[in-house]
PDB file of all heavy atoms in Angstrom:
ATOM      1  N   ALA A  21       7.730   6.825 -10.879  1.00 91.00           N
ATOM      2  CA  ALA A  21       9.031   6.018 -11.210  1.00 91.00           C
ATOM      3  C   ALA A  21       9.066   5.681 -12.624  1.00 91.00           C
ATOM      4  O   ALA A  21      10.056   5.746 -13.247  1.00 91.00           O
ATOM      5  CB  ALA A  21       9.014   4.772 -10.200  1.00 91.00           C
ATOM      6  N   ARG A  22       7.958   5.228 -13.139  1.00 93.00           N
ATOM      7  CA  ARG A  22       7.876   4.890 -14.621  1.00 93.00           C
ATOM      8  C   ARG A  22       8.285   6.075 -15.483  1.00 93.00           C
ATOM      9  O   ARG A  22       8.970   5.830 -16.445  1.00 93.00           O
ATOM     10  CB  ARG A  22       6.442   4.408 -14.911  1.00 93.00           C
ATOM     11  CG  ARG A  22       6.416   3.664 -16.292  1.00 93.00           C
ATOM     12  CD  ARG A  22       5.022   3.034 -16.519  1.00 93.00           C
ATOM     13  NE  ARG A  22       3.802   3.760 -16.035  1.00 93.00           N
ATOM     14  CZ  ARG A  22       3.134   3.542 -15.026  1.00 93.00           C
ATOM     15  NH1 ARG A  22       3.455   2.471 -14.208  1.00 93.00           N
ATOM     16  NH2 ARG A  22       2.058   4.184 -14.686  1.00 93.00           N
ATOM     17  N   HIS A  23       7.937   7.358 -15.074  1.00 95.00           N
ATOM     18  CA  HIS A  23       8.335   8.459 -15.998  1.00 95.00           C
ATOM     19  C   HIS A  23       9.532   9.246 -15.385  1.00 95.00           C
ATOM     20  O   HIS A  23       9.812  10.264 -15.831  1.00 95.00           O
ATOM     21  CB  HIS A  23       6.958   9.402 -15.958  1.00 95.00           C
ATOM     22  CG  HIS A  23       5.971   8.726 -16.717  1.00 95.00           C
ATOM     23  ND1 HIS A  23       5.945   8.635 -18.048  1.00 95.00           N
ATOM     24  CD2 HIS A  23       4.719   8.322 -16.260  1.00 95.00           C
ATOM     25  CE1 HIS A  23       4.806   8.049 -18.494  1.00 95.00           C
ATOM     26  NE2 HIS A  23       4.056   7.856 -17.331  1.00 95.00           N
ATOM     27  N   ARG A  24      10.230   8.636 -14.338  1.00 93.00           N
ATOM     28  CA  ARG A  24      11.398   9.192 -13.676  1.00 93.00           C
ATOM     29  C   ARG A  24      11.189  10.566 -13.226  1.00 93.00           C
ATOM     30  O   ARG A  24      11.923  11.465 -13.497  1.00 93.00           O
ATOM     31  CB  ARG A  24      12.510   9.001 -14.677  1.00 93.00           C
ATOM     32  CG  ARG A  24      12.965   7.570 -15.034  1.00 93.00           C
ATOM     33  CD  ARG A  24      14.218   7.505 -15.776  1.00 93.00           C
ATOM     34  NE  ARG A  24      15.273   8.197 -15.266  1.00 93.00           N
ATOM     35  CZ  ARG A  24      16.059   7.761 -14.250  1.00 93.00           C
ATOM     36  NH1 ARG A  24      15.669   6.683 -13.574  1.00 93.00           N
ATOM     37  NH2 ARG A  24      17.113   8.495 -13.952  1.00 93.00           N
ATOM     38  N   LEU A  25       9.979  10.804 -12.567  1.00 93.00           N
ATOM     39  CA  LEU A  25       9.644  12.097 -11.906  1.00 93.00           C
ATOM     40  C   LEU A  25      10.080  12.117 -10.505  1.00 93.00           C
ATOM     41  O   LEU A  25       9.579  11.295  -9.718  1.00 93.00           O
ATOM     42  CB  LEU A  25       8.296  12.366 -12.138  1.00 93.00           C
ATOM     43  CG  LEU A  25       7.738  12.620 -13.560  1.00 93.00           C
ATOM     44  CD1 LEU A  25       6.205  12.676 -13.541  1.00 93.00           C
ATOM     45  CD2 LEU A  25       8.265  13.865 -14.067  1.00 93.00           C
ATOM     46  N   PRO A  26      10.815  13.006  -9.993  1.00 94.00           N
ATOM     47  CA  PRO A  26      10.972  13.161  -8.592  1.00 94.00           C
ATOM     48  C   PRO A  26       9.665  13.734  -8.055  1.00 94.00           C
ATOM     49  O   PRO A  26       8.906  14.554  -8.613  1.00 94.00           O
ATOM     50  CB  PRO A  26      12.085  14.145  -8.477  1.00 94.00           C
ATOM     51  CG  PRO A  26      12.251  14.826  -9.727  1.00 94.00           C
ATOM     52  CD  PRO A  26      11.668  14.037 -10.773  1.00 94.00           C
ATOM     53  N   THR A  27       9.387  13.251  -6.789  1.00 93.00           N
ATOM     54  CA  THR A  27       8.089  13.638  -6.239  1.00 93.00           C
ATOM     55  C   THR A  27       8.217  14.196  -4.861  1.00 93.00           C
ATOM     56  O   THR A  27       9.117  13.789  -4.098  1.00 93.00           O
ATOM     57  CB  THR A  27       7.149  12.330  -6.163  1.00 93.00           C
ATOM     58  OG1 THR A  27       7.689  11.384  -5.286  1.00 93.00           O
ATOM     59  CG2 THR A  27       6.757  11.855  -7.481  1.00 93.00           C
ATOM     60  N   ILE A  28       7.321  15.118  -4.575  1.00 93.00           N
ATOM     61  CA  ILE A  28       7.292  15.642  -3.127  1.00 93.00           C
ATOM     62  C   ILE A  28       5.760  15.481  -2.749  1.00 93.00           C
ATOM     63  O   ILE A  28       4.851  15.776  -3.580  1.00 93.00           O
ATOM     64  CB  ILE A  28       7.744  17.057  -2.947  1.00 93.00           C
ATOM     65  CG1 ILE A  28       7.684  17.494  -1.579  1.00 93.00           C
ATOM     66  CG2 ILE A  28       7.016  18.141  -3.879  1.00 93.00           C
ATOM     67  CD1 ILE A  28       8.425  18.690  -1.205  1.00 93.00           C
ATOM     68  N   MET A  29       5.514  15.002  -1.693  1.00 90.00           N
ATOM     69  CA  MET A  29       4.169  14.655  -1.182  1.00 90.00           C
ATOM     70  C   MET A  29       3.997  15.203   0.185  1.00 90.00           C
ATOM     71  O   MET A  29       4.893  15.372   0.901  1.00 90.00           O
ATOM     72  CB  MET A  29       3.919  13.078  -1.259  1.00 90.00           C
ATOM     73  CG  MET A  29       4.300  12.685  -2.675  1.00 90.00           C
ATOM     74  SD  MET A  29       4.506  10.858  -2.509  1.00 90.00           S
ATOM     75  CE  MET A  29       4.982  10.562  -4.250  1.00 90.00           C
ATOM     76  N   PRO A  30       2.719  15.332   0.684  1.00 88.00           N
ATOM     77  CA  PRO A  30       2.422  16.056   1.883  1.00 88.00           C
ATOM     78  C   PRO A  30       2.470  15.041   3.202  1.00 88.00           C
ATOM     79  O   PRO A  30       2.286  15.465   4.277  1.00 88.00           O
ATOM     80  CB  PRO A  30       1.002  16.667   1.752  1.00 88.00           C
ATOM     81  CG  PRO A  30       0.431  15.800   0.724  1.00 88.00           C
ATOM     82  CD  PRO A  30       1.500  15.279  -0.208  1.00 88.00           C
ATOM     83  N   PHE A  31       2.510  13.749   2.965  1.00 84.00           N
ATOM     84  CA  PHE A  31       2.352  12.890   4.076  1.00 84.00           C
ATOM     85  C   PHE A  31       3.560  11.923   4.110  1.00 84.00           C
ATOM     86  O   PHE A  31       4.082  11.425   3.023  1.00 84.00           O
ATOM     87  CB  PHE A  31       1.157  11.973   3.949  1.00 84.00           C
ATOM     88  CG  PHE A  31      -0.051  12.830   3.932  1.00 84.00           C
ATOM     89  CD1 PHE A  31      -0.841  12.880   2.854  1.00 84.00           C
ATOM     90  CD2 PHE A  31      -0.558  13.399   5.182  1.00 84.00           C
ATOM     91  CE1 PHE A  31      -2.066  13.604   2.828  1.00 84.00           C
ATOM     92  CE2 PHE A  31      -1.641  14.229   5.209  1.00 84.00           C
ATOM     93  CZ  PHE A  31      -2.449  14.312   3.921  1.00 84.00           C
ATOM     94  N   PRO A  32       4.252  11.861   5.260  1.00 84.00           N
ATOM     95  CA  PRO A  32       5.446  10.979   5.319  1.00 84.00           C
ATOM     96  C   PRO A  32       5.386   9.681   4.862  1.00 84.00           C
ATOM     97  O   PRO A  32       6.293   9.038   4.325  1.00 84.00           O
ATOM     98  CB  PRO A  32       5.750  10.953   6.965  1.00 84.00           C
ATOM     99  CG  PRO A  32       5.138  12.130   7.388  1.00 84.00           C
ATOM    100  CD  PRO A  32       3.834  12.336   6.582  1.00 84.00           C
ATOM    101  N   GLU A  33       4.235   8.907   4.815  1.00 83.00           N
ATOM    102  CA  GLU A  33       4.080   7.640   4.259  1.00 83.00           C
ATOM    103  C   GLU A  33       4.361   7.549   2.760  1.00 83.00           C
ATOM    104  O   GLU A  33       4.807   6.413   2.350  1.00 83.00           O
ATOM    105  CB  GLU A  33       2.717   7.102   4.551  1.00 83.00           C
ATOM    106  CG  GLU A  33       2.254   6.936   6.017  1.00 83.00           C
ATOM    107  CD  GLU A  33       1.911   8.295   6.649  1.00 83.00           C
ATOM    108  OE1 GLU A  33       1.677   9.245   5.958  1.00 83.00           O
ATOM    109  OE2 GLU A  33       1.932   8.249   7.928  1.00 83.00           O
ATOM    110  N   PHE A  34       4.284   8.618   2.037  1.00 87.00           N
ATOM    111  CA  PHE A  34       4.566   8.622   0.710  1.00 87.00           C
ATOM    112  C   PHE A  34       6.036   8.196   0.400  1.00 87.00           C
ATOM    113  O   PHE A  34       6.215   7.467  -0.454  1.00 87.00           O
ATOM    114  CB  PHE A  34       4.298   9.891   0.018  1.00 87.00           C
ATOM    115  CG  PHE A  34       2.739  10.045  -0.435  1.00 87.00           C
ATOM    116  CD1 PHE A  34       2.061  10.900   0.239  1.00 87.00           C
ATOM    117  CD2 PHE A  34       2.282   9.330  -1.499  1.00 87.00           C
ATOM    118  CE1 PHE A  34       0.705  11.133  -0.183  1.00 87.00           C
ATOM    119  CE2 PHE A  34       1.008   9.493  -1.946  1.00 87.00           C
ATOM    120  CZ  PHE A  34       0.147  10.411  -1.277  1.00 87.00           C
ATOM    121  N   ALA A  35       6.941   8.660   1.134  1.00 89.00           N
ATOM    122  CA  ALA A  35       8.337   8.345   0.951  1.00 89.00           C
ATOM    123  C   ALA A  35       8.624   7.003   1.336  1.00 89.00           C
ATOM    124  O   ALA A  35       9.413   6.241   0.657  1.00 89.00           O
ATOM    125  CB  ALA A  35       9.059   9.316   1.816  1.00 89.00           C
ATOM    126  N   ASP A  36       7.831   6.255   2.266  1.00 88.00           N
ATOM    127  CA  ASP A  36       8.021   4.899   2.394  1.00 88.00           C
ATOM    128  C   ASP A  36       7.660   4.034   1.219  1.00 88.00           C
ATOM    129  O   ASP A  36       8.032   2.932   1.088  1.00 88.00           O
ATOM    130  CB  ASP A  36       7.097   4.511   3.643  1.00 88.00           C
ATOM    131  CG  ASP A  36       7.474   5.040   4.919  1.00 88.00           C
ATOM    132  OD1 ASP A  36       8.736   5.423   5.041  1.00 88.00           O
ATOM    133  OD2 ASP A  36       6.708   5.397   5.872  1.00 88.00           O
ATOM    134  N   HIS A  37       6.723   4.569   0.395  1.00 87.00           N
ATOM    135  CA  HIS A  37       6.287   3.849  -0.754  1.00 87.00           C
ATOM    136  C   HIS A  37       7.031   4.107  -1.999  1.00 87.00           C
ATOM    137  O   HIS A  37       6.834   3.722  -3.038  1.00 87.00           O
ATOM    138  CB  HIS A  37       4.840   4.167  -1.089  1.00 87.00           C
ATOM    139  CG  HIS A  37       3.867   3.569  -0.035  1.00 87.00           C
ATOM    140  ND1 HIS A  37       3.397   2.355  -0.148  1.00 87.00           N
ATOM    141  CD2 HIS A  37       3.295   4.055   1.068  1.00 87.00           C
ATOM    142  CE1 HIS A  37       2.588   1.901   0.852  1.00 87.00           C
ATOM    143  NE2 HIS A  37       2.575   3.076   1.554  1.00 87.00           N
ATOM    144  N   GLY A  38       8.124   5.116  -1.860  1.00 90.00           N
ATOM    145  CA  GLY A  38       9.021   5.348  -2.984  1.00 90.00           C
ATOM    146  C   GLY A  38       9.102   6.724  -3.508  1.00 90.00           C
ATOM    147  O   GLY A  38       9.681   7.107  -4.392  1.00 90.00           O
ATOM    148  N   GLY A  39       8.346   7.656  -2.881  1.00 92.00           N
ATOM    149  CA  GLY A  39       8.364   8.961  -3.257  1.00 92.00           C
ATOM    150  C   GLY A  39       9.750   9.550  -2.843  1.00 92.00           C
ATOM    151  O   GLY A  39      10.354   9.124  -1.841  1.00 92.00           O
ATOM    152  N   LEU A  40      10.233  10.635  -3.346  1.00 95.00           N
ATOM    153  CA  LEU A  40      11.411  11.154  -3.173  1.00 95.00           C
ATOM    154  C   LEU A  40      11.463  11.954  -1.772  1.00 95.00           C
ATOM    155  O   LEU A  40      12.382  11.561  -0.912  1.00 95.00           O
ATOM    156  CB  LEU A  40      11.971  12.078  -4.292  1.00 95.00           C
ATOM    157  CG  LEU A  40      13.293  12.712  -4.098  1.00 95.00           C
ATOM    158  CD1 LEU A  40      14.459  11.749  -3.953  1.00 95.00           C
ATOM    159  CD2 LEU A  40      13.496  13.839  -5.242  1.00 95.00           C
ATOM    160  N   VAL A  41      10.527  12.956  -1.629  1.00 95.00           N
ATOM    161  CA  VAL A  41      10.584  13.664  -0.429  1.00 95.00           C
ATOM    162  C   VAL A  41       9.088  13.760   0.048  1.00 95.00           C
ATOM    163  O   VAL A  41       8.236  14.003  -0.780  1.00 95.00           O
ATOM    164  CB  VAL A  41      11.054  15.070  -0.621  1.00 95.00           C
ATOM    165  CG1 VAL A  41      10.980  16.000   0.515  1.00 95.00           C
ATOM    166  CG2 VAL A  41      12.689  15.105  -1.138  1.00 95.00           C
TER     167      VAL A  41
END
Side-chain angles (χ1 to χ4, degrees):
R22 191 171 41 254
H23 296 287
R24 300 190 45 78
L25 293 171
T27 54
I28 184 167
M29 304 162 181
F31 301 111
E33 296 82 11
F34 274 109
D36 295 329
H37 288 277
L40 178 61
V41 175

